[in-house]
Amino acid sequence: MIYGYAGSILRINLSDEKVSKENLCEDLVRNYIGGTGICSRILFDEISPGIDPLGEYNKIIFGTGPLTGTFWTSAGRFMVASKSPLTGIWAESHVGGFFGAEMKFAGWDFIIVEGKSEKHVEIIIHDDDIEITKSENWGHGTAHTIRKLSEKHNDSQVMCIGQAGENLVKYACVINNYSNAAGRTGLGAVMGSKKLKAIAVKGTGSFEVSDYDAFYEFTKISHERVMNNPQNKELGKYGTNLLVSYKSAIGELVSKNHQRGVFKNGAEKLSADVLREKYFVKSRACFVCRTHCKKVYEVKEGAFAGTISGGPEYEGTMAFGTNCLNSDFGSILKANEMCNDYGMDVISCGCTIAFAMECLERGIIKEEEIGYAMSWGDGEGIVKMVEDIAFRRGFGDILAEGTRKASIKIGKNAQRYAMEVKGLEISGQDGRGHRSVALTHAISVRGADHLRSLVTVDQLGYIEEAKKRFGENALPEVCNPYSEDKKAMAVKITEDVFAIRDSLITCWYTCGWPPIFWIEDFAQVLPLVTGIEHFGDVKNLMLIAERICNLRRLFNIREGLTEKDDYLPERFLKEPMPDGPSIGQTVNLKKMLNEYYEIRGWDENGIPRDEKAKSLGLEKELKEVISYL
Amino acid sequence: MKIALYGDLRKIVNIGEININLSDEIKVGDLLKSIEKLKDEIFEGDNLKKYYIILVNGVRIDLLSNLETVVKDGDIVHVFPPVSGG
């Protein structure tokens, strides 16, 4: 028995409907902990390079960690991993809600779904009882599917796709609890390709932690730390939307397809204060969470009156709002709600539409090709296009492929305006006004992502946190938003710590921002949960973190990724920020990238050196990957 | 010059923006302490409370001269409650 884990992996092959139960082995736990760590091992071992992400040989994993389902604060997180149909490389997305905890109560740490069904199906899990049934919800949105399955199966927790996943939109997502999304990298399309509409799980069991009394005491303290944190209070009230005003003030508010860092005459209309006052209905929370950052909003008047939307968070307001120069909250809430129900990633969807708007402005595409007006700021046009993308109608069929593939198909130099890295649309940050995130976008394992290694001290300037996390010598450069100095080190450390966070699994809102927990806390809590003393040493945890980061990198290299894929669009490198406080700024990516490779122990091609692989026990894996080059 | 407030600070001070005509330059710390409700909320003695952020013309004051940063007519001072980055 391994404390902190349910102890079993459920494997379901949809081609032959074979269901098997495997033991979670202790070696895997000791070397990779859980969550992203164990998924990195499984996907590296089981996915052959070059397979079609939408074919029968791809696999999709639903994963938890040792903290999932405990009463540790923010222990409601879980994850989904696969090979991405959007990027062709590592796919991973973390999500809150209740599904992960329920999985563990049902006795499963991981669910691996492989093969491909011939008919539309749903997987119904009640503890050890596993059923593959014909889907009665295919063709319906996520809200309908969740409601129906939950009612039919004894208040089960449900993860499902909407019509976008069924239609293989490349950035379709997986939804639970109506608006909690495993949003990025197209995991919904992987489910759709397997004709898997949903998984419903009901668990009546439990699992044990190693030292209950000590865990209980430390957990009490952890809850108090969250409750007493002033940032947590703001996050609980406004969600992440205060960022709109803050980013606007510092000149990092992503606007006009990442051209600008301010949204003149628009940002104030999209502030957290406006959202709270005019649209707020109630707060929602994930399993055991004290923050309650998820919000429900309602549009009460105007063209989109009647819309009730879970979210948006800052990224949704950015994607359908500032990045499209759209200051109409009604249409943003509508587009966000449609993404929840159709099951689409709001960042990729909104940013792909922003890309199309720039192409329209530059005459690369014509309004006749789209069939309706969709110029900058056109909220109604955005809402129409969200629907067309989900159902792959007209020009929406092209945009459903994501910015990179759409830009190639459109041609006429459209690629120049595709704001993506490795095929993933760039999230709502701008390295020209927040330098560390330029490197984060360029090197992140799943593409232009902020969540794997977001350093916030050069954005917010929390000097004490910077000292604690990166050392006194990192100051003042690490807190300077316009300097490349010390950023590679900060990004590398953060990426490693977050690899542990994502293996536990716990929420980033308590360790990235607000800065409540860090690696020392993980080293304290893990032995209490698992009984594995080896986890109590920060050095051991950081070694495991490096192993995870390097194995995910090797997965990508084996798929053909090279150092040329660690890039940023020229916009960030050569187009000086045109206005606002970051005016004139560009990014010197090469300097940060070289330093990052060096600190990581990678060669100039971004490949782990022999000695690095050896120190992590990954010599065999490196050798295998090199054999493919 | 203008002082812009966000989040709960708007409720506490009961206004989103404060416009002030400044005839002389003034240190930003002194300026903000002169607004009673704001002083009570964001300062602990002479120091800014942890995690509150002040910007002068879009630049964090820790990159300038902290509370000694001089402001003049035409400047914008942003005051943020604890913000979670991202």
Side-chain angles (χ1 to χ4, degrees):
Chain A
M1 171 182 176
I2 316 172
Y3 289 107
Y5 297 84
S8 299
I9 297 172
L10 173 62
R11 187 181 293 271
I12 300 169
N13 189 312
L14 290 177
S15 296
D16 58 12
E17 300 202 348
K18 186 181 169 196
V19 174
S20 53
K21 180 177 183 174
E22 299 166 11
N23 288 331
L24 182 70
C25 85
E26 190 166 339
D27 263 3
L28 193 60
V29 166
R30 290 180 71 85
N31 287 315
Y32 293 95
I33 302 175
T36 190
I38 289 183
C39 283
S40 71
R41 190 67 256 178
I42 296 172
L43 287 179
F44 187 90
D45 289 345
E46 298 193 12
I47 301 259
S48 299
I51 58 134
D52 176 4
L54 298 178
E56 65 174 312
Y57 298 115
N58 198 9
K59 305 188 182 197
I60 185 165
I61 308 176
F62 300 84
T64 65
L67 288 187
T68 313
T70 68
F71 42 81
W72 173 264
T73 175
S74 321
R77 304 290 290 187
F78 63 106
M79 68 171 295
V80 190
S82 187
K83 178 176 170 179
S84 168
L86 181 64
T87 63
I89 55 170
W90 175 263
E92 166 180 2
S93 197
H94 290 242
V95 54
F98 294 79
F99 186 91
E102 199 74 23
M103 260 177 73
K104 281 182 78 172
F105 300 151
W108 308 108
D109 296 298
F110 293 86
I111 301 170
I112 304 172
V113 180
E114 53 194 29
K116 193 171 188 171
S117 177
E118 286 181 5
K119 56 184 188 292
H120 303 142
V121 294
E122 290 154 358
I123 297 171
I124 312 300
I125 300 169
H126 188 161
D127 297 331
D128 266 344
D129 185 17
I130 316 298
E131 201 182 348
I132 302 169
T133 63
K134 180 175 176 294
S135 174
E136 293 171 356
N137 300 293
W138 196 268
H140 289 280
T142 63
H144 170 97
T145 305
I146 290 167
R147 195 169 55 249
K148 287 288 179 189
L149 283 175
S150 187
E151 280 169 8
K152 188 173 174 183
H153 298 287
N154 197 21
D155 282 336
S156 288
Q157 294 298 325
V158 178
M159 281 293 283
C160 68
I161 58 171
Q163 295 91 335
E166 297 173 7
N167 295 326
L168 308 182
V169 173
K170 295 289 168 56
Y171 41 86
C173 70
V174 188
I175 295 274
N176 86 118
N177 295 106
Y178 300 99
S179 58
N180 289 355
R184 306 224 70 191
T185 64
L187 294 155
V190 178
M191 275 181 72
S193 72
K194 296 185 180 306
K195 295 192 167 55
L196 174 60
K197 179 68 177 176
I199 302 177
V201 62
K202 181 73 184 174
T204 58
S206 62
F207 59 95
E208 287 184 39
V209 298
S210 172
D211 186 340
Y212 180 88
D213 291 340
F215 177 64
Y216 180 80
E217 285 308 313
F218 189 44
T219 298
K220 262 202 319 194
I221 294 167
S222 80
H223 280 259
E224 281 162 16
R225 283 167 68 182
V226 171
M227 291 302 284
N228 293 332
N229 182 283
Q231 284 165 312
N232 185 69
K233 187 178 138 211
E234 297 293 326
L235 191 58
K237 185 161 183 184
Y238 297 101
T240 50
N241 279 288
L242 266 181
L243 278 170
V244 172
S245 297
Y246 185 72
K247 282 168 173 280
S248 176
I250 63 171
E252 197 214 347
L253 183 63
V254 168
S255 305
K256 207 178 181 189
N257 196 29
H258 285 268
Q259 290 182 60
R260 301 171 62 175
V262 291
F263 179 18
K264 281 180 186 161
N265 305 319
E268 185 58 27
K269 292 177 190 162
L270 299 180
S271 73
D273 301 283
V274 171
L275 190 56
R276 177 91 189 178
E277 277 170 32
K278 282 187 69 175
Y279 303 97
F280 176 74
V281 178
K282 64 175 182 177
S283 294
R284 295 174 67 227
C286 301
F287 180 80
V288 204
C289 181
R290 291 279 193 172
T291 303
H292 296 221
C293 71
K294 305 295 180 198
K295 308 295 165 199
V296 177
Y297 300 106
E298 182 180 3
V299 184
K300 297 189 181 75
E301 56 190 27
F304 302 104
T307 300
I308 295 175
S309 176
E313 298 185 29
Y314 159 73
E315 292 286 349
T317 305
M318 175 283 299
F320 294 117
T322 64
N323 207 25
C324 294
L325 295 186
N326 174 26
S327 59
D328 169 32
F329 248 139
S331 59
I332 295 168
L333 292 174
K334 181 66 182 174
N336 187 78
E337 187 272 329
M338 290 164 79
C339 279
N340 286 340
D341 202 39
Y342 296 148
M344 283 195 291
D345 174 28
V346 291
I347 300 176
S348 285
C349 185
C351 291
T352 302
I353 292 173
F355 154 76
M357 286 176 164
E358 182 165 2
C359 288
L360 265 170
E361 183 185 41
R362 294 181 184 279
I364 295 169
I365 53 178
K366 306 279 181 225
E367 192 177 305
E368 302 85 82
E369 294 175 67
I370 291 179
Y372 43 85
M374 202 183 73
S375 54
W376 295 116
D378 188 334
E380 291 195 14
I382 291 169
V383 167
K384 281 183 192 164
M385 184 51 76
V386 171
E387 175 127 347
D388 284 350
I389 291 170
F391 290 92
R392 284 187 171 274
R393 292 180 192 132
F395 201 76
D397 188 39
I398 294 173
L399 297 186
E401 291 295 302
T403 311
R404 176 190 273 186
K405 287 176 187 158
S407 71
I408 293 168
K409 180 147 191 167
I410 291 166
K412 303 178 201 168
N413 205 23
Q415 279 179 273
R416 185 173 168 189
Y417 310 108
M419 297 299 116
E420 50 81 16
V421 179
K422 300 181 178 70
L424 187 70
E425 288 69 25
I426 298 178
S427 49
Q429 301 75 35
D430 192 318
R432 289 172 296 182
H434 175 185
R435 202 64 98 241
S436 63
V437 87
L439 181 61
T440 286
H441 281 156
I443 57 86
S444 284
V445 67
R446 66 178 187 176
D449 170 30
H450 59 303
L451 295 171
R452 304 292 144 238
S453 58
L454 183 69
V455 175
T456 51
V457 296
D458 52 334
Q459 182 189 44
L460 304 172
Y462 294 152
I463 310 291
E464 290 308 313
E465 308 306 335
K467 240 186 248 180
K468 183 178 150 201
R469 292 180 173 189
F470 310 120
E472 194 120 13
N473 290 340
L475 293 165
E477 294 88 348
V478 77
C479 288
N480 186 335
Y482 305 132
S483 164
E484 278 79 11
D485 290 343
K486 304 281 170 57
K487 299 306 192 297
M489 172 272 301
V491 166
K492 189 265 182 190
I493 289 175
T494 305
E495 189 177 30
D496 286 346
V497 174
F498 285 5
I500 300 300
R501 172 201 69 187
D502 292 345
S503 298
L504 294 178
I505 302 168
T506 188
C507 184
W508 34 63
Y509 287 154
T510 52
C511 15
W513 55 106
I516 303 170
F517 304 112
W518 200 242
I519 193 74
E520 296 77 12
D521 303 295
F522 302 156
Q524 190 172 346
V525 71
L526 263 177
L528 304 180
V529 175
T530 64
I532 300 173
E533 291 304 321
H534 157 79
F535 290 152
D537 187 329
V538 166
K539 277 187 198 155
N540 291 340
L541 285 188
M542 291 303 266
L543 190 74
I544 293 170
E546 280 210 79
R547 182 178 299 125
I548 295 166
C549 292
N550 277 271
L551 190 56
R552 294 186 307 200
R553 176 79 176 183
L554 287 171
F555 179 94
N556 281 349
I557 295 170
R558 197 175 59 177
E559 292 292 341
L561 178 135
T562 72
E563 81 287 357
K564 290 186 179 64
D565 295 292
D566 296 333
Y567 62 85
L568 281 179
E570 285 202 351
R571 175 152 290 164
F572 301 91
L573 311 177
K574 293 186 176 169
E575 292 179 25
M577 188 68 94
D579 48 13
S582 302
I583 190 168
Q585 290 289 325
T586 54
V587 175
N588 180 353
L589 179 63
K590 194 72 189 159
K591 171 185 160 52
M592 293 191 289
L593 201 54
N594 289 345
E595 287 177 15
Y596 175 81
Y597 282 5
E598 192 58 39
I599 296 168
R600 272 259 169 251
W602 296 352
D603 67 16
E604 65 280 8
N605 299 312
I607 298 171
R609 295 181 193 278
D610 290 341
E611 55 272 27
K612 174 54 69 179
K614 194 175 174 190
S615 73
L616 301 173
L618 296 175
E619 308 103 299
K620 189 167 63 74
E621 290 78 359
L622 177 63
K623 207 171 161 188
E624 184 203 325
V625 166
I626 287 175
S627 75
Y628 282 98
L629 301 182
Chain B
M1 62 90 51
K2 184 171 86 177
I3 302 172
L5 307 173
Y6 299 92
D8 278 0
L9 290 177
R10 290 188 176 191
K11 306 243 168 359
I12 289 159
V13 183
N14 214 17
I15 195 166
E17 280 185 12
I18 304 169
N19 290 293
I20 299 172
N21 288 322
L22 278 184
S23 50
D24 294 315
E25 294 181 341
I26 184 171
K27 290 173 183 169
V28 71
D30 294 337
L31 173 72
L32 297 178
K33 283 175 192 167
S34 71
I35 302 163
E36 204 60 35
K37 284 181 182 168
L38 199 55
K39 180 185 167 190
D40 294 344
E41 181 61 22
I42 70 172
F43 287 100
E44 217 158 37
D46 282 340
N47 299 320
L48 191 65
K49 276 189 196 167
K50 198 174 179 186
Y51 300 135
Y52 282 82
I53 302 176
I54 299 171
L55 312 172
V56 173
N57 298 325
V59 181
R60 296 187 332 252
I61 59 168
D62 63 278
L63 298 168
L64 303 168
S65 303
N66 287 309
L67 293 171
E68 305 284 307
T69 303
V70 169
V71 293
K72 56 187 183 310
D73 214 30
D75 287 345
I76 301 177
V77 175
H78 296 272
V79 186
F80 282 90
V83 177
S84 297

